[in-house]
Each structure stands twice: as C-alpha cells, then as structure tokens.
C-alpha cells in the first residue's frame, strides 16, 4: 500500500466518528432512566455492556484483520454499529438497548483495532508518532463536541415531542445512518487500492 494523505485523513475521520459515538453514552443515560423507568444500577449496565465489548472483541479483531485485511474488517465494524443502533431504533426497549450497545461496542473495538496499523502504513512509520498524537487530539475534540450535539438535538426535538423513548429512537437512527455512511465512504476510498494491501501489510513504496 502506498502512502496516502487522503487515507490518513480518512483515518482521522474514523477516529472522530468513534469518539463522537462513544462519548454520547453519558448524555443519553438520563433519558434512558426517564424513558424506560430503570434504576441507576440498570442504567449503569448500558455503558458497561458497551465497554466490555472492547475486552471481548479486541483480540479476535486482530485475528480478523490478519485473516481478511483492514478494509472488510472496518466495513463489518461499521455494519455492526448500524445493526446494533437500528435494532434499538426499531425496538426501543431496555433489554434491546443492552444488547445493541454491546454490538456497537464490538464494532467500535474492531474498528479501532484495524485503524491503528492502517495509520502506520498509510502515513509511514517515520510519521506514525505525530499522526498518532494528532489522532488523539481529534478523538478528544469529538468527545467535547459529542454531548453538545446530543443536547442540541434533544432541545430541538423536545419542541415536537416530550417522549424520551422517541428521542432515543432518533439517536439510534442517527447512529445507524452515520454507520451506513461510513461503510460507503470506506468502500469508495478503498476501491482503487483494495487489491494492493493485504492483512497488516507493511510494505511502503
């Protein structure tokens, strides 16, 4: 795989999306508590189900990248996020929310496993330290923006609906749409180079 600034930019976009979706979990917990009338302990299970997926999927994701390559694994990760969020949007129940967040967390863990070696290859090993640090800056900026986006949506949607579950369904549909867009972006950007890079390929021309 040749070095490509556009590919590095795509990796930064993926980091932004991962942080945007991960850090919106905190703001939605109060709406989940009020919308589904659950206890604080039950609400705490939701972020737990998301982040425990990182421990479950990180190692298998590495094997998947070695076996299938980065592109199909990243597309599958985005599709997992789309399936998880869409299931919650279609069936807004607490039990569905637990499983959907686990599926979305598994997708994000897989995506993060695939994106780091891709950043090293696309940007070059000599620039990896800089790009990696800059990616964390982008990750942090998305964590700052994410709750404010959710707050903006809630305040505007509250004008048309006071149903908390309705707001959560909209969030799920928005998550699903973002994941679907990510799949198409990856497919478009990797179309020309799909035959040139294999599992964990490190050759740089």
């Amino acid at each position: 795989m040749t070095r490509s600034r556009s590919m590095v930019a795509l990796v930064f976009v993926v980091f932004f999306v991962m942080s945007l979706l991960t850090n919106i979990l905190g703001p939605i917990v109060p709406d989940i508590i009020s919308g589904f009338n659950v206890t604080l302990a039950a609400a705490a299970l939701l972020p737990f189900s998301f982040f425990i997926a990182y421990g479950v999927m990180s190692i298998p994701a590495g094997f998947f990248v070695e076996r299938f390559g980065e592109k199909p694994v990243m597309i599958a990760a985005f599709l997992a996020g789309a399936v998880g969020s869409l299931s919650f949007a279609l069936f807004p129940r607490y039990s569905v929310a637990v499983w959907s967040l686990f599926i979305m967390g598994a997708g994000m863990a897989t995506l993060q496993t695939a994106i780091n070696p891709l950043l090293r290859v696309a940007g070059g090993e000599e620039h990896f330290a800089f790009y990696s640090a800059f990616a964390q800056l982008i990750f942090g900026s998305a964590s700052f923006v994410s709750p404010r986006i959710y707050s903006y949506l809630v305040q505007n949607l509250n004008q048309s609906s006071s149903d908390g579950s309705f707001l959560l369904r909209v969030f799920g549909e928005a998550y699903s749409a973002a994941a679907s867009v990510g799949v198409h972006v990856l497919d478009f950007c990797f179309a020309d180079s799909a035959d040139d890079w294999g599992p964990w390929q490190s050759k740089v021309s």
Side-chain angles (χ1 to χ4, degrees):
M1 177 183 177
T2 58
R3 298 177 186 176
S4 172
R5 290 186 177 180
S6 61
M7 194 68 66
V8 172
L10 176 64
V11 171
F12 290 156
V13 170
V14 173
F15 269 104
F16 186 87
V17 172
M18 286 192 301
S19 179
L20 197 71
L21 300 178
T22 299
N23 289 283
I24 210 169
L25 290 175
I28 70 172
V29 169
D31 286 327
I32 290 177
I33 294 174
S34 60
F36 298 110
N37 297 316
V38 298
T39 64
L40 291 176
L45 183 61
L46 296 171
F48 175 80
S49 66
F50 182 90
F51 289 108
I52 196 64
Y54 276 77
V56 173
M57 279 303 300
S58 293
I59 294 178
F63 289 117
F64 291 152
V65 172
E66 288 183 346
R67 175 66 178 85
F68 302 107
E70 289 92 340
K71 176 188 173 182
V73 170
M74 290 172 68
I75 291 176
F78 271 115
L79 287 174
V83 170
S85 56
L86 190 59
S87 64
F88 179 58
L90 295 175
F91 307 101
R93 294 190 293 270
Y94 172 79
S95 57
V96 177
V98 173
W99 284 105
S100 67
L101 284 173
F102 179 83
I103 295 172
M104 288 186 283
M108 293 301 101
T110 303
L111 190 61
Q112 191 163 343
T113 302
I115 206 69
N116 283 303
L118 179 58
L119 180 61
R120 177 186 293 273
V121 175
E125 293 188 3
E126 67 274 19
H127 302 300
F128 178 69
F130 171 78
Y131 285 143
S132 180
F134 191 76
Q136 295 307 312
L137 176 63
I138 294 175
F139 196 92
S141 65
S143 68
F144 175 79
V145 172
S146 179
R148 285 159 178 78
I149 293 176
Y150 182 73
S151 298
Y152 173 81
L153 292 175
V154 169
Q155 290 173 1
N156 286 272
L157 290 174
N158 271 336
Q159 297 176 2
S160 59
S161 175
S162 59
D163 185 2
S165 62
F166 169 77
L167 299 176
L168 296 173
R169 285 198 298 272
V170 171
F171 163 72
E173 291 168 359
Y175 195 131
S176 179
S180 299
V181 170
V183 170
H184 291 296
V185 169
L186 286 172
D187 194 47
F188 174 77
C189 292
F190 291 160
D192 296 334
S193 58
D195 297 331
D196 299 333
W197 50 293
W200 298 83
Q201 188 174 359
S202 59
K203 295 182 180 180
V204 179
S205 58

